[in-house]
Amino acid sequence: VNTETIERIEQVVGSLLESDVSLAADTRPGDVPGWDSLANVNILFAVEEEFGIQFRDADLAPFATVGELARRVDAARA
Amino acid sequence: VSEPQLTDAAAAATAGSPELEELVALAALNEVPDPSLCLRIARVAFQHGDTDDAYRWLKRVVDKPTPFRVWVSAAAALASFAEQTRPSAARALRVALAGSYTTSQLVSLLRLAAFRRRLDLEVYESGFDRYNQELLDPGSDLYAFAPDYVIIAPHEGAVAFEPLTADVDGAVAEEASRWTSLWDAIRRNSGAEIIQHNFVIRPETSWGHLAARVPGARDEMLRSLNSLLAEAAGENVLIVDCDRLAAALGKDRWFDDRYWHLSKQAVALATLPELARHTAAVVAGAAGLSSKCIVLDLDNTLWGGVVAEDGLEGIQLGAGPEGEAYVAFQEYLLALRTRGILLAVASKNNDADAREPFERHPDTRLRLSDFAAFVANWDDKPTSLQFLAKTLNIGLDSLVFVDDNPAERELIRRVLPEVEVPVLPPSPSGFVRALSDTLLFEAPRLTEDDLGRSEQYRSLAAANTLAARSSSLEEYYASLSMKALVAPFDELSLPRVAQLVGKTNQLNLTTRRHSPSDLAAFMTDDQYITLTLRLRDRFGDHGLVGVLIAREHGEFFEIDTLLLSCRVIGRTVERELLKHLCEAALSRGVHRLRGVYLPTEKNAVARDVFGNLGFDEVEEHGGKIVWEYDISARGIVTSEFINSWSEHGND
């Protein structure tokens, strides 16, 4: 997994949740305080803006870990 | 002239924090600093206990263009700041939002957008798609919240129209009454003002362009529903015209169905900040926080160039793409003025220089009488603005300062932070949009003045109907209420005359491209009669649209040039010019006119002009036609559809 992608996701999430978060590839959204289903929608769109991408419909579905989200981002950028 | 006292609060507050100082210095490099940077400064300032500063920088995040993620972050910052220290605001209001889709994001963005407009909002959000129940139930949490405003925010999918309906009027009326009965319920259960989002018609349709002709098609019914609700709203319900907003932003952006399918977001997150900003503007207008007065710079703001240096003839106003853009901006300001927005001038100029264009320039739309106050001197602008606020007896926070000069704008922002200072784009054609996009002039309802004018609108509408019915050309001409001002060339009209002589192709009898210096020479040569014609009708002022040059040859005047701008062809304007030529010729003891038509590839429309005016053809050779007109035998050419217009009158 691309660590630079994870770092940028970390910044986006930290800014949206108004807190310092530390994300790794195996971080689960449920483990991050404030990362609920509403925040997740904002995070998905904010990530699209940050990377200038549009997720495919299927890639908007729930993901288990931040690493999986990062892989979807990288796939959309490729 | 003394320099104003710079009360640079930002600089003072950053003392002792190198990080903050560095960030503020970085932000100072741009007139519109990066919104993420503003947000960062706000956070750092708040950590240092500089609460006022933190809130001030937070407001700057909202000034476009700001991406969704920065808006959401800033909204989160606002919420967390406010938990510790309430912001100071002009008004604190309680707002209930009752929507048919996921409105959580809208709620937090609305709070931020309203804060930008000096409102401290507490917002209640109805349960997802529970707007009906909560608005109809007197015991609901929504009413327990005791809102000052209730915002009904449905999406188009909340309307149950079939793809095609037979009983159109019945179905639309029934749907409208579903919404008006919600309004009635709100009135029964609370004293809140009601704000209704109208329905955004989707960009795609199964009907194609046929839909426009099928009243029972779903999209057309939504259009009718919007109209019916607007009518029912009258004075009492405020409407946010979402359909117009979505169209302005682009409906393909407004609808992002991926997020509808994901989590019932009916408005794309990319455009949601604008919906929040527009809704907040309507709330601010209703709360009496709209701006009341526009303070205008003059040079390069209301015309191009510097009047004291370039002279009245040298400034750009009318004639040409830049000059026309300034005219359009003046017309927009005039429209705001007729709505009751005050206009004032703050200019660094000699008073006489500053006033002259409004008194004498042929293309000025604004007149001195349009300004509530006029300050032209060599004081700094903050001093002038303070003077204006005092003179007009309004607060500095009611002023909008419009100046092309970024340095002046920055000075006002620093010294008088209460004043709104929109950024103007480099080209004047963008001024109207820049001012309109501030959303500072929302009014909750028409004023008495507006109502008086609406009588005029009604009579105009009646006249329009007449014109639409008029079957003959004569009735059409008469319905236009045309007025013309015919005058010899002068220094002010010369640039426009040169422009028309240089470019007019169609209604141009001879297409002689005289140089500006030749035209200036005709003006002072006794052998020549020179005429310009400005035309007004009930739709507005067309400006200088006709030119005639005639030269004396003993017993007759020969029409060297006769041209009309293409926008006034076919309105009998040439008759008015010829009428004045006849009068001028007679006054010089000349009784005959000679006209020449020289054909070109583009001026066929001019071929019969003289014939239609009653001239006799005396010679034709290779397409060139010579015509004559005997004034003593035929009389002065008549012009029955055009009245004269006095130069200083506003009739």
Side-chain angles (χ1 to χ4, degrees):
Chain A
V1 176
N2 189 337
T3 51
E4 183 225 320
T5 306
I6 293 188
E7 276 166 25
R8 282 171 72 181
I9 291 174
E10 183 179 271
Q11 278 182 7
V12 169
V13 173
S15 176
L16 290 180
L17 299 182
E18 187 71 0
S19 68
D20 290 326
V21 294
S22 175
L23 301 182
D26 59 357
T27 308
R28 295 171 173 278
D31 298 338
V32 179
W35 194 332
D36 55 19
S37 63
L38 172 68
N40 192 57
V41 173
N42 293 347
I43 287 167
L44 282 170
F45 187 74
V47 165
E48 288 191 340
E49 276 187 335
E50 168 69 25
F51 290 93
I53 55 168
Q54 277 215 337
F55 287 120
R56 298 178 309 143
D57 295 344
D59 284 348
L60 291 169
F63 44 88
T65 62
V66 170
E68 192 179 340
L69 174 61
R71 269 192 296 277
R72 292 180 188 179
V73 169
D74 289 336
R77 293 171 83 189
Chain B
V1 182
S2 65
E3 279 299 302
Q5 204 66 38
L6 284 185
T7 56
D8 195 341
T14 56
S17 165
E19 186 193 3
L20 204 49
E21 261 175 59
E22 201 177 300
L23 291 174
V24 170
L26 199 59
L29 296 177
N30 285 310
E31 188 181 5
V32 189
D34 178 55
S36 310
L37 180 59
C38 296
L39 176 56
R40 211 165 137 212
I41 295 174
R43 284 188 173 130
V44 176
F46 197 81
Q47 280 163 16
H48 281 82
D50 307 331
T51 321
D52 290 347
D53 250 10
Y55 279 122
R56 191 160 47 241
W57 282 101
L58 207 50
K59 277 186 187 176
R60 300 194 72 170
V61 175
V62 179
D63 292 327
K64 291 199 316 176
T66 302
F68 172 77
R69 65 181 191 281
V70 183
W71 265 82
V72 173
S73 301
L78 174 65
S80 93
F81 293 180
E83 264 176 35
Q84 298 167 58
T85 318
R86 281 307 263 208
S88 62
R91 295 279 299 278
L93 291 175
R94 302 171 71 78
V95 172
L97 186 80
S100 64
Y101 54 95
T102 306
T103 49
S104 312
Q105 286 93 343
L106 181 57
V107 165
S108 67
L109 298 182
L110 180 62
R111 205 172 165 207
L112 177 66
F115 176 60
R116 169 66 183 80
R117 300 299 304 274
R118 298 183 287 135
L119 288 166
D120 180 12
L121 243 52
E122 196 159 330
V123 188
Y124 170 88
E125 182 189 7
S126 76
F128 173 75
D129 201 17
R130 282 179 42 80
Y131 63 98
N132 274 305
Q133 297 91 316
E134 296 205 32
L135 292 175
L136 293 171
D137 175 8
S140 70
D141 291 347
L142 188 148
Y143 292 120
F145 173 76
D148 301 305
Y149 289 84
V150 174
I151 301 170
I152 309 180
H155 70 300
E156 57 89 34
V159 173
F161 287 149
E162 299 294 324
L164 185 62
T165 303
D167 175 18
V168 180
D169 291 347
V172 173
E174 192 187 325
E175 182 64 21
S177 78
R178 183 160 83 85
W179 297 96
T180 56
S181 66
L182 293 179
W183 302 347
D184 293 338
I186 295 169
R187 290 193 195 104
R188 270 198 311 276
N189 298 315
S190 87
E193 278 233 52
I194 303 164
I195 298 178
Q196 172 83 44
H197 284 180
N198 73 3
F199 299 97
V200 181
I201 296 155
R202 292 190 61 97
E204 64 283 325
T205 163
S206 59
W207 293 97
H209 291 269
L210 174 61
R213 288 185 286 134
V214 181
R218 183 183 157 84
D219 291 348
E220 285 311 296
M221 289 178 65
L222 282 172
R223 218 182 293 280
S224 307
L225 177 62
N226 278 344
S227 305
L228 207 58
L229 286 177
E231 208 175 297
E235 296 241 309
N236 302 316
V237 173
L238 308 175
I239 301 258
V240 177
D241 192 350
C242 295
D243 193 47
R244 181 192 176 96
L245 173 62
L249 297 173
K251 290 189 176 182
D252 51 349
R253 286 186 62 214
W254 183 272
F255 291 99
D256 183 346
D257 292 329
R258 297 175 308 142
Y259 283 81
W260 170 257
H261 301 313
L262 174 66
S263 67
K264 301 293 175 268
Q265 305 286 341
V267 181
L269 298 179
T271 55
L272 202 59
E274 278 299 280
L275 178 59
R277 214 168 63 88
H278 281 254
T279 305
V282 169
V283 176
L289 294 179
S290 282
S291 298
K292 296 185 176 69
C293 176
I294 303 172
V295 181
L296 297 150
D297 171 56
L298 298 180
D299 294 326
N300 291 316
T301 299
L302 291 187
W303 54 72
V306 177
V307 65
E309 287 170 15
D310 303 331
L312 197 56
E313 309 80 34
I315 60 174
Q316 292 289 322
L317 187 59
E322 195 189 358
E324 294 287 356
Y326 285 106
V327 169
F329 185 48
Q330 288 198 8
E331 283 175 345
Y332 180 72
L333 292 166
L334 201 55
L336 286 174
R337 196 199 82 93
T338 35
R339 266 191 53 198
I341 309 293
L342 300 175
L343 303 181
V345 166
S347 168
K348 287 182 181 169
N349 251 315
N350 291 322
D351 189 63
D353 290 338
R355 286 173 190 266
E356 196 181 13
F358 302 110
E359 290 167 328
R360 293 191 49 219
H361 200 286
D363 286 306
T364 188
R365 294 301 190 264
L366 293 165
R367 304 258 160 200
L368 284 177
S369 57
D370 292 319
F371 297 107
F374 197 102
V375 175
N377 57 29
W378 297 98
D379 286 345
D380 60 79
K381 299 237 170 169
T383 305
S384 297
L385 261 65
Q386 279 168 319
F387 172 82
L388 284 168
K390 209 171 151 193
T391 309
L392 298 169
N393 196 24
I394 53 178
L396 284 165
D397 54 15
S398 297
L399 301 184
V400 182
F401 177 64
V402 176
D403 194 313
D404 68 291
N405 183 341
E408 298 284 11
R409 299 198 291 257
E410 198 52 33
L411 181 65
I412 297 295
R413 284 193 198 103
R414 280 168 177 247
V415 181
L416 304 174
E418 312 92 318
V419 176
E420 289 284 352
V421 186
V423 177
L424 292 191
S427 274
S429 59
F431 288 3
V432 170
R433 187 79 55 86
L435 190 55
S436 143
D437 204 39
T438 62
L439 313 182
L440 289 168
F441 307 106
E442 285 294 334
R445 47 192 59 85
L446 290 170
T447 63
E448 292 290 318
D449 281 354
D450 293 324
L451 288 173
R453 264 190 300 280
S454 70
E455 287 299 322
Q456 298 166 16
Y457 293 142
R458 267 193 281 280
S459 55
L460 192 64
N464 272 327
T465 320
L466 271 182
R469 279 201 222 111
S470 68
S471 49
S472 75
L473 264 180
E474 285 75 15
E475 281 170 318
Y476 168 66
Y477 294 144
S479 73
L480 289 172
S481 305
M482 292 184 283
K483 290 192 164 84
L485 178 65
V486 178
F489 293 3
D490 62 28
E491 292 292 340
L492 288 176
S493 61
L494 216 47
R496 171 66 174 159
V497 169
Q499 186 192 37
L500 283 173
V501 166
K503 75 172 189 188
T504 305
N505 292 321
Q506 295 179 55
L507 207 145
N508 192 337
L509 272 296
T510 54
T511 321
R512 290 183 178 131
R513 308 293 193 195
H514 296 297
S515 69
S517 57
D518 287 346
L519 294 167
F522 299 158
M523 187 168 81
T524 50
D525 188 333
D526 281 347
Q527 281 194 309
Y528 285 86
I529 294 173
T530 62
L531 296 174
T532 62
L533 180 144
R534 300 177 59 90
L535 186 74
R536 248 185 219 176
D537 60 28
R538 61 190 174 82
F539 299 109
D541 189 337
H542 297 276
L544 201 163
V545 288
V547 174
L548 186 151
I549 302 167
R551 183 177 179 185
E552 190 175 347
H553 291 275
E555 290 189 344
F556 60 88
F557 266 98
E558 179 171 318
I559 299 167
D560 170 274
T561 295
L562 171 58
L563 64 83
L564 297 179
S565 164
C566 54
R567 59 187 131 158
V568 298
I569 293 177
R571 290 172 158 227
T572 76
V573 174
E574 60 278 11
R575 290 194 153 271
E576 184 70 13
L577 276 169
L578 262 294
K579 183 180 97 177
H580 281 79
L581 177 62
C582 288
E583 288 165 354
L586 286 179
S587 74
R588 298 189 188 196
V590 175
H591 297 263
R592 281 170 53 210
L593 302 178
R594 175 172 289 188
V596 183
Y597 167 71
L598 300 177
T600 69
E601 279 183 14
K602 293 178 175 167
N603 75 344
V605 67
R607 189 186 180 281
D608 295 322
V609 164
F610 287 124
N612 292 336
L613 286 165
F615 281 56
D616 299 312
E617 187 179 324
V618 292
E619 190 186 321
E620 187 187 350
H621 182 72
K624 171 184 173 179
I625 310 173
V626 180
W627 308 79
E628 282 196 359
Y629 187 83
D630 187 336
I631 305 171
S632 36
R634 293 184 173 256
I636 290 173
V637 172
T638 58
S639 173
E640 63 178 303
F641 299 111
I642 299 180
N643 294 311
S644 64
W645 145 28
S646 63
E647 188 159 9
H648 300 288
N650 279 321
D651 51 340

